[in-house]
């Protein structure tokens, strides 16, 4: 079972295409494994076994008939529970939407289904992608399979946990201030926030529409490229969607980094905020490793982290409050304490400050892109610390803003978080690579070169490896 | 003379939040303090010429949505 549990999309696709692996047996094995593990880890809010088995039977029939649709055909996937799947509740992990059955698929769900992927269920999130980890909601928060009882990051917490625990090989998350890359960093998996406008948000509950992104989460870089290939594309019904040609994301994966020019933003994690020593050392070592593989790495300076954080926090607060105002007015007691506080924060921000934050966003974006000139990509931290215990509310609150992800929600650039080692206590460490707009393929190329030179993605949490 | 609590209730009412409990109002009070601190961190030299102009866009020809 362990083999199927940690099988990646690329390897599973080969087995499925050559009919050495039945999609029905594959999904049944993962459903069984999830049933055994999830009372401990709470990755799923809801499994959809009937939907999943019906999809797997259809995939099996099509493939047997010679109609293999591509690498996602027959692959189990999970959706963060703010993403609509027709006929299934989209709860946002909240009492407010406990009975909110989606009438239609989100565009990303449609794209997954068209590619033949199987929706296995809806995954835990911080409430409305903003309030967590919380223990006062209808479902418990997801727990990291790394460590004893640790925070998995968020808000796409269930997606990170399900991947790290070997419950599925592919999941979708969303990222407004870092919510794909945070659980990727804490759970030792790979999470991409694509360029703003690259992936449709239609049918996804917004948190802050000018900063929201949907992103692929997987265990490996190649799998992430395969998943983004299916998700990317223009959607005229998402006003933020861009009509830009889609690259072939896996085409250059094995080209290596020789001759590439990379920037290293050290001041984010040694000066603006001081990262945990093991985390800072992991990024410095990664820079050295990439130099050793032939990349030219030079240190650059961007604006201080705090400038990006001020900009992001004001925009998120205002846009989130605008989205939630009616529900909050009618049912304030149905929100968990953390989400209510973070959404109420927007009630008190002035319109002038919101507009100034958007002006600041333009300024920061322009200056950041200027600093990227002449570089192929930039390397820095994602999280500044490894995971803390999930039952330590003070530690979680302290940890939450200690990150270098928000700058790239502000600028809309693509950014990927990948594993970069482990602490002495066996908790995942991570790094972040950031690219020019629409250059996700370059990030995959660099990330793959690093991944190939290390063995971090081959390690799995001991608590679930033998399950 | 308006008390702090009056000001808090007025802020809540202006935002349409008329069903907040005492505990929720305490959260709103923290929100007001936090918003002030956050606003103070914004640069003071932001100019209207830096507007990113996402506020209004006409539909493309033949398009259904702006």
């Amino acid at each position: 079972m362990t083999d199927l549990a940690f099988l990646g999309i690329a390897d599973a696709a080969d087995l499925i295409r050559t009919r050495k692996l039945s999609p029905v047996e594959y999904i049944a094995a993962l459903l069984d494994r999830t049933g055994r593990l999830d009372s401990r880890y709470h990755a799923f809010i809801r499994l959809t076994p009937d939907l999943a088995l019906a999809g797997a039977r259809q995939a099996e029939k099509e493939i047997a008939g010679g109609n293999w649709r591509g690498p996602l055909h027959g692959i189990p996937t999970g959706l963060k529970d703010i993403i609509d799947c027709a006929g299934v509740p989209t709860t946002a992990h909240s009492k407010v939407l406990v009975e909110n059955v989606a009438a239609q698929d989100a565009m990303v769900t449609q794209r997954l289904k068209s590619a033949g992927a199987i929706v296995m269920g809806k995954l835990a999130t911080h409430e409305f992608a903003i309030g967590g980890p919380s223990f006062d909601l209808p479902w418990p928060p997801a727990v990291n399979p790394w460590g004893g009882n640790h925070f998995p990051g968020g808000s796409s917490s269930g997606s990170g946990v399900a991947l790290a625990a070997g419950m599925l090989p592919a999941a979708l998350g969303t990222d407004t201030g870092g919510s794909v890359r945070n659980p990727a960093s804490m759970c030792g998996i790979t999470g991409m926030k694509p360029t703003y406008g690259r992936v449709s948000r239609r049918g996804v509950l917004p948190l802050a529409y000018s900063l929201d992104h949907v992103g692929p989460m997987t265990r490996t870089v190649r799998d992430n490229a395969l998943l983004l290939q299916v998700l990317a594309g223009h959607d005229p019904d998402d006003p933020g969607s861009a009509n830009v040609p889609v690259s072939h994301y896996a085409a250059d994966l094995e080209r290596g980094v020789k001759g590439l020019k990379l920037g290293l933003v050290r001041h984010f994690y040694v000066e603006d905020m001081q990262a945990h020593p093991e985390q800072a050392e992991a990024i410095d070592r990664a820079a050295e490793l990439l130099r050793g593989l032939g990349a030219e790495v030079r240190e650059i300076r961007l604006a201080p982290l705090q400038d990006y954080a001020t900009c992001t926090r004001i925009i998120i607060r205002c846009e989130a409050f605008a989205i939630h105002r009616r529900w909050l007015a009618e049912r304030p007691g149905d929100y968990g304490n953390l989400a209510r506080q973070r959404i109420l924060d927007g009630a008190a921000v002035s319109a002038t400050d919101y507009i100034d934050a958007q002006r600041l966003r333009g300024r920061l974006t322009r200056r950041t892109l200027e600093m990227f000139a002449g570089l192929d990509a930039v390397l820095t931290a994602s999280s500044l610390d490894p995971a803390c215990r999930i039952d330590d509310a003070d530690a979680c609150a302290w940890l939450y803003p200690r990150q270098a992800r928000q700058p790239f929600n502000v600028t809309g650039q693509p950014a990927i978080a990948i594993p970069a080692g482990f602490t002495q206590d066996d908790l995942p460490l991570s790094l972040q690579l950031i690219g020019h707009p629409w250059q996700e393929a370059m990030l995959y190329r660099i990330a793959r070169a690093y991944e190939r030179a290390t063995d971090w993605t081959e390690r799995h949490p001991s608590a679930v490896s033998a399950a | 003379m308006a008390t702090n609590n009056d000001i808090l209730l007025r802020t809540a009412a202006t935002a349409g939040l008329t069903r907040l409990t005492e505990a929720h109002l305490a959260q709103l009070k923290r929100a007001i303090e936090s918003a002030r601190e956050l606003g103070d961190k914004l640069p003071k030299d932001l100019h209207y010429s830096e507007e990113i102009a996402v506020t209004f866009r006409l539909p493309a020809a033949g398009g259904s949505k702006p």
Side-chain angles (χ1 to χ4, degrees):
Chain A
M1 179 58 214
T2 302
D3 289 342
L4 281 185
F6 292 104
L7 195 61
I9 297 173
D11 292 335
D14 276 347
L15 294 172
I16 289 172
R17 181 177 52 81
T18 54
R19 299 178 64 189
K20 290 174 185 151
L21 175 63
S22 149
V24 176
E25 287 171 19
Y26 187 22
I27 194 83
L30 293 186
L31 284 168
D32 176 65
R33 176 179 174 85
T34 302
R36 282 184 284 114
L37 289 175
D38 212 30
S39 58
R40 169 78 183 87
Y41 297 108
H42 314 302
F44 282 87
I45 282 184
R46 184 183 313 272
L47 284 165
T48 51
D50 294 343
L51 193 68
L53 285 165
R57 283 189 205 102
Q58 187 187 338
E60 191 156 296
K61 194 173 160 188
E62 287 174 2
I63 293 162
N67 297 312
W68 184 68
R69 298 193 205 181
L72 267 290
H73 205 173
I75 300 295
T77 60
L79 305 173
K80 179 178 182 177
D81 201 20
I82 62 169
I83 300 172
D84 282 348
C85 180
V88 180
T90 302
T91 70
H93 212 127
S94 179
K95 189 176 177 185
V96 176
L97 293 183
V98 115
E99 292 171 3
N100 174 46
V101 178
Q104 299 178 50
D105 285 334
M107 177 52 113
V108 287
T109 311
Q110 271 182 40
R111 283 182 168 272
L112 286 175
K113 287 182 178 176
S114 296
I118 312 296
V119 176
M120 191 169 148
K122 304 299 288 292
L123 293 155
T125 167
H126 290 173
E127 187 178 20
F128 287 110
I130 196 171
S134 299
F135 293 86
D136 57 352
L137 305 178
W139 301 270
V143 176
N144 200 331
W146 292 99
N149 187 31
H150 280 67
F151 180 45
S155 63
S156 310
S157 43
S159 307
V161 170
L163 284 156
M167 295 174 186
L168 42 65
L172 300 193
T174 61
D175 193 316
T176 305
S179 291
V180 160
R181 292 162 287 158
N182 183 5
S185 302
M186 298 285 167
C187 296
I189 58 131
T190 297
M192 168 70 93
K193 180 200 81 65
T195 309
Y196 185 80
R198 179 71 296 172
V199 176
S200 168
R201 294 96 40 95
R202 178 158 57 90
V204 181
L205 267 167
L207 169 55
Y209 44 82
S210 78
L211 296 166
D212 288 342
H213 303 66
V214 176
M217 298 172 73
T218 57
R219 284 186 289 268
T220 69
V221 174
R222 178 177 296 277
D223 285 358
N224 208 279
L226 294 173
L227 188 51
L228 181 60
Q229 199 70 57
V230 165
L231 303 174
H234 181 230
D235 176 6
D237 286 331
D238 172 357
S241 180
N243 195 357
V244 174
V246 175
S247 307
H248 186 341
Y249 296 118
D252 291 337
L253 276 181
E254 306 298 339
R255 280 186 63 191
V257 294
K258 194 170 181 184
L260 294 185
K261 292 182 170 57
L262 307 181
L264 172 65
V265 187
R266 280 193 97 238
H267 68 88
F268 276 179
Y269 60 92
V270 300
E271 196 177 305
D272 300 347
M273 288 190 186
Q274 291 187 346
H276 185 283
E278 288 181 276
Q279 178 59 82
E281 284 164 21
I283 299 161
D284 291 345
R285 274 200 307 272
E288 276 310 307
L289 189 150
L290 289 164
R291 273 195 193 103
L293 294 172
E296 180 189 315
V297 183
R298 67 177 166 87
E299 203 168 328
I300 64 164
R301 290 192 75 85
L302 303 178
L305 264 182
Q306 289 78 2
D307 289 4
Y308 296 99
T310 299
C311 178
T312 319
R313 287 170 69 192
I314 292 176
I315 294 172
I316 290 179
R317 286 176 183 200
C318 292
E319 294 183 6
F321 182 69
I323 289 156
H324 284 270
R325 178 173 163 160
R326 193 163 297 165
W327 287 330
L328 202 56
E330 290 169 2
R331 305 164 62 186
D334 284 352
Y335 284 81
N337 200 48
L338 264 179
R340 186 175 47 249
Q341 178 69 70
R342 289 178 182 163
I343 294 168
L344 269 178
D345 283 343
V349 181
S350 73
T352 319
D353 282 354
Y354 174 72
I355 290 170
D356 271 347
Q358 290 287 10
R359 289 173 176 160
L360 176 59
R361 182 182 190 177
R363 182 185 289 187
L364 288 169
T365 302
R366 199 168 51 250
R367 291 183 181 172
T368 305
L369 293 176
E370 281 168 11
M371 294 309 297
F372 272 61
L375 297 170
D376 293 295
V378 161
L379 165 69
T380 191
S382 168
S383 291
L384 300 191
D385 309 276
C388 62
R389 285 186 63 86
I390 196 169
D391 51 3
D392 185 339
D394 290 341
C396 288
W398 180 80
L399 198 76
Y400 213 83
R402 287 177 48 79
Q403 49 117 322
R405 294 177 284 266
Q406 288 177 342
F408 311 107
N409 292 84
V410 169
T411 66
Q413 292 166 271
I416 190 168
I418 59 171
F422 292 86
T423 65
Q424 289 184 343
D425 296 332
D426 213 22
L427 292 168
L429 299 167
S430 59
L431 62 84
Q432 182 178 206
L433 292 162
I434 306 96
H436 293 275
W438 320 111
Q439 299 291 314
E440 287 85 357
M442 176 58 77
L443 297 186
Y444 285 133
R445 175 178 165 186
I446 300 163
R448 173 62 190 141
Y450 176 79
E451 180 186 63
R452 199 171 50 208
T454 60
D455 69 348
W456 313 130
T457 57
E458 290 159 31
R459 298 196 197 176
H460 307 300
S462 56
V464 297
S465 291
Chain B
M1 187 168 167
T3 64
N4 285 344
N5 203 48
D6 291 336
I7 294 167
L8 198 56
L9 287 169
R10 204 179 305 143
T11 306
T14 305
L17 304 173
T18 54
R19 297 186 187 180
L20 300 185
T21 65
E22 284 301 313
H24 302 161
L25 286 168
Q27 289 187 309
L28 182 61
K29 184 167 181 281
R30 285 197 289 276
I32 291 168
E33 290 158 2
S34 167
R36 200 173 297 134
E37 286 168 18
L38 208 48
D40 286 345
K41 290 180 184 169
L42 282 164
K44 305 301 174 224
D45 62 342
L46 291 160
H47 190 259
Y48 60 77
S49 61
E50 294 185 85
E51 215 64 77
I52 60 173
V54 293
T55 50
F56 178 72
R57 188 167 53 182
L58 283 166
S64 60
K65 291 193 174 182

